[in-house]
Amino acid sequence: MAKLKKAFFCSNCGYEASKWQGKCPACNQWNTFTEEIISKQKSSSTSFVAKAESHPNKLVEVNSEEKPRIILKDAELNRLMGGGIMPGSVVLLGGEPGIGKSTLLLQLLLQFHQEVLYVSGEESSLQIKDRASRISSTIPNTFYISAETDIGQIVKYANELKPKLLVIDSIQTLQHELIDSVPGSISQIRACCGELIKLAKTTDIPIFVIGHITKDGQIAGPKLLEHMVDVVLQFEGDHQYFLRLLRGVKNRFGNTNEIALYEMQQGGLNPVANPGEVFISGKDENLSGTATGIILEGVRPLLIESQALVSSAVYGTPQRSATGFDVKRLNMLLAVLEKRCGFKLGAKDVFLNIAGGFKINDTGSDLAVVMAILSSAADISIPAKTAFAAEIGLTGEVRPVTRLNQRISEAAKLGYKQLFVSKYAKNIDGDLPQSIEVVPISQINEAVARLFA
Ligand code: TYD
Ligand code: MG
């Protein structure tokens, strides 16, 4: 019997070492090494994909005629990928369990009326059929399904069937015959992903690979996985809400400034046609403690509603908590309000919630967050159809944001009447929509005086 070979792998970058080390010499992370059994036997060739004849070519002689992209029925996904899928590309789709990864890709294959193969190590064929019937009234007879988890078999099936699209659900369930560690371990993921990439490049079959996500939002397995594939998409959203946001994290064939929005419904995921206002709760009466901000997700302006609750702290230390917003940034904004603007919030509990259940990173939401807090503290509501788009600096000044014209147009399009922006923003009086009043301010107090007086 061949001797078992053990090795240590860095869970961050996939670096392999024969001995345990505290610090990874490749990526300098601490305590990332885990032990795994790697090979059952030594083999000269461990790849299932046949090697293509290759020799160096002159770059000028490389056939520059681009292979046509494969256009999907889902226009949102086409746009996100930079205008369809490149033949032979490998797309990694990450996201929390239950967010809708399997549904999205199943739907994609059901809409694609050519040979497709869905490999699922997660669910049985019956479960998938059941789900497919919920999504689509007819199942095309070019749709193939397999519950195989052995990568060698999958490569064999793909070579026989030559599908136009291949989905792997998920990379964490795949197993390489020559590697002894459990499915989902670093060496398994690395080897299986390597095989899939080779398969895609030699056959031109585009492959979608689902990847699980860890507690802190990273795609489980080595970071290496993200380096290996061509496109990384991230599926986000809150389970309690029906909205899902698909974000391009890496794209070798397009830019990553795009997002796609979907609604999870009974019959699967539907693209949202007019995403501008989907995060607004649409209440009728005006309540204190809410303010609308205009943020940019990639290149797309979105209106978001920030809700704040300010109340006297019952216990000694006031609580500050935020959902969908960085707590550190919230603390910074509260400190600015206290020190620079003279609002006494030091002994207050402050709770902040961004409606819609997704996390915002655009600092252009600062002014809206601050106004929601002040509105709650004073218990005065902000007039309807009022929005904010500015960042707050440490000195309390109201600072300009990028692509302001685009944000103004979006607010005007959605019927907003008044938009507070920074006085220092350049060319805000260019070609602006007539229906909206743009109010330039340099201090938070100016907005307070105008709205709460
Ligand atoms: P799923 O695709 O299984 O998530 P993942 O593969 O990311 O783990 O999504 C499962 C959730 O989607 C489940 O909670 C039910 C919901 N869902 C719908 O609301 N409508 C539908 O038509 C389908 C198929 C699923
Ligand atoms: Mg799934």
Side-chain angles (χ1 to χ4, degrees):
M1 208 188 101
K3 200 168 166 271
L4 291 181
K5 191 180 164 210
K6 289 184 177 175
F8 292 86
F9 288 90
C10 169
S11 57
N12 185 49
C13 67
Y15 180 85
E16 184 181 337
S18 56
K19 277 192 291 188
W20 188 87
Q21 296 171 48
K23 183 181 171 188
C24 173
C27 66
N28 294 330
Q29 295 287 311
W30 288 91
N31 281 331
T32 53
F33 275 93
T34 52
E35 185 179 17
E36 287 181 14
I37 301 162
I38 46 169
S39 56
K40 284 182 172 166
Q41 61 187 104
K42 276 263 183 285
S43 163
S44 52
S45 162
T46 51
S47 179
F48 299 108
V49 182
K51 265 199 188 134
E53 278 278 316
S54 80
H55 45 87
N57 291 324
K58 287 186 182 166
L59 189 57
V60 282
E61 286 170 9
V62 170
N63 189 1
S64 59
E65 236 172 71
E66 224 180 83
K67 291 174 196 155
R69 290 191 183 226
I70 298 160
I71 306 296
L72 306 167
K73 215 180 145 211
D74 185 338
E76 288 284 286
L77 203 56
N78 282 333
R79 194 174 41 76
L80 195 68
M81 309 277 292
I85 305 179
M86 246 1 205
S89 61
V90 179
V91 181
L92 179 65
L93 174 66
E96 281 180 24
I99 204 80
K101 302 181 293 296
S102 307
T103 307
L104 181 75
L105 294 184
L106 184 63
Q107 199 172 317
L108 188 90
L109 294 197
L110 284 170
Q111 292 168 347
F112 200 78
H113 294 259
Q114 295 180 53
E115 263 75 24
V116 291
L117 174 59
Y118 190 102
V119 179
S120 176
E122 305 244 328
E123 287 160 284
S124 69
S125 303
L126 201 64
Q127 281 173 308
I128 293 176
K129 169 129 197 228
D130 195 47
R131 192 198 296 235
S133 332
R134 279 176 63 191
I135 297 176
S136 165
S137 51
T138 55
I139 300 176
N141 75 346
T142 48
F143 193 115
Y144 288 83
I145 177 115
S146 162
E148 187 60 61
T149 54
D150 183 80
I151 184 73
Q153 281 297 324
I154 295 170
V155 169
K156 192 169 145 259
Y157 294 158
N159 278 321
E160 282 165 10
L161 198 65
K162 299 246 179 310
K164 297 286 177 294
L165 288 177
L166 171 62
V167 167
I168 305 289
D169 186 3
S170 64
I171 186 81
Q172 276 85 6
T173 58
L174 295 190
Q175 214 161 357
H176 195 292
E177 195 179 76
L178 299 176
I179 292 178
D180 222 8
S181 56
V182 292
S185 60
I186 298 159
S187 46
Q188 286 285 9
I189 290 179
R190 194 171 67 166
C192 295
C193 187
E195 291 290 323
L196 289 173
I197 289 171
K198 260 181 254 166
L199 176 68
K201 303 299 168 205
T202 50
T203 57
D204 269 355
I205 303 171
I207 306 182
F208 284 89
V209 182
I210 291 179
H212 292 175
I213 212 162
T214 58
K215 259 195 298 196
D216 47 354
Q218 300 287 328
I219 292 175
K223 195 84 186 149
L224 192 77
L225 194 58
E226 287 170 60
H227 290 297
M228 286 166 91
V229 300
D230 300 303
V231 180
V232 180
L233 303 177
Q234 184 102 1
F235 214 19
E236 297 170 15
D238 197 309
H239 294 275
Q240 292 154 16
Y241 299 89
F242 50 85
L243 274 174
R244 300 284 183 271
L245 189 139
L246 189 61
R247 197 194 293 275
V249 182
K250 164 183 173 179
N251 190 352
R252 285 188 182 150
F253 317 113
N255 68 26
T256 48
N257 282 339
E258 293 283 359
I259 56 157
L261 275 164
Y262 293 92
E263 272 175 332
M264 178 64 95
Q265 284 162 350
Q266 273 307 319
L269 289 155
N270 285 334
V272 179
N274 284 314
E277 218 180 7
V278 288
F279 294 105
I280 302 294
S281 59
K283 58 189 171 7
D284 286 333
E285 82 263 56
N286 265 320
L287 303 169
S288 69
T290 72
T292 304
I294 305 172
I295 60 159
L296 277 188
E297 262 303 329
V299 290
R300 184 175 277 193
L302 290 177
L303 273 77
I304 53 111
E305 185 178 296
S306 48
Q307 305 172 336
L309 179 67
V310 178
S311 67
S312 298
V314 184
Y315 304 106
T317 321
Q319 296 186 60
R320 272 80 209 272
S321 90
T323 320
F325 193 79
D326 186 15
V327 182
K328 282 191 197 131
R329 186 133 194 116
L330 172 65
N331 283 327
M332 186 280 265
L333 292 174
L334 289 171
V336 168
L337 284 177
E338 183 98 27
K339 172 106 186 175
R340 306 281 181 193
C341 311
F343 297 101
K344 296 285 166 242
L345 298 168
K348 304 275 190 190
D349 286 342
V350 178
F351 304 97
L352 179 72
N353 179 28
I354 304 298
F358 95 112
K359 193 164 165 53
I360 51 174
N361 300 315
D362 184 356
T363 49
S365 60
D366 284 355
L367 187 58
V369 165
V370 160
M371 293 312 290
I373 292 168
L374 294 178
S375 160
S376 175
D379 202 13
I380 302 174
S381 65
I382 293 170
K385 297 292 171 198
T386 300
F388 305 90
E391 191 184 307
I392 307 291
L394 283 179
T395 54
E397 86 276 20
V398 175
R399 300 172 49 177
V401 289
T402 53
R403 293 175 183 261
L404 188 59
N405 281 332
Q406 211 181 332
R407 300 188 204 224
I408 296 172
S409 309
E410 186 69 21
K413 200 172 93 195
L414 294 169
Y416 280 76
K417 296 282 170 246
Q418 162 166 245
L419 176 66
F420 287 80
V421 302
S422 167
K423 199 167 100 183
Y424 308 110
K426 296 200 180 67
N427 58 25
I428 40 170
D429 38 33
D431 226 358
L432 290 182
Q434 290 299 310
S435 61
I436 191 163
E437 183 195 359
V438 176
V439 187
I441 57 172
S442 60
Q443 292 294 322
I444 298 170
N445 284 326
E446 293 167 41
V448 172
R450 186 161 162 144
L451 294 174
F452 300 152

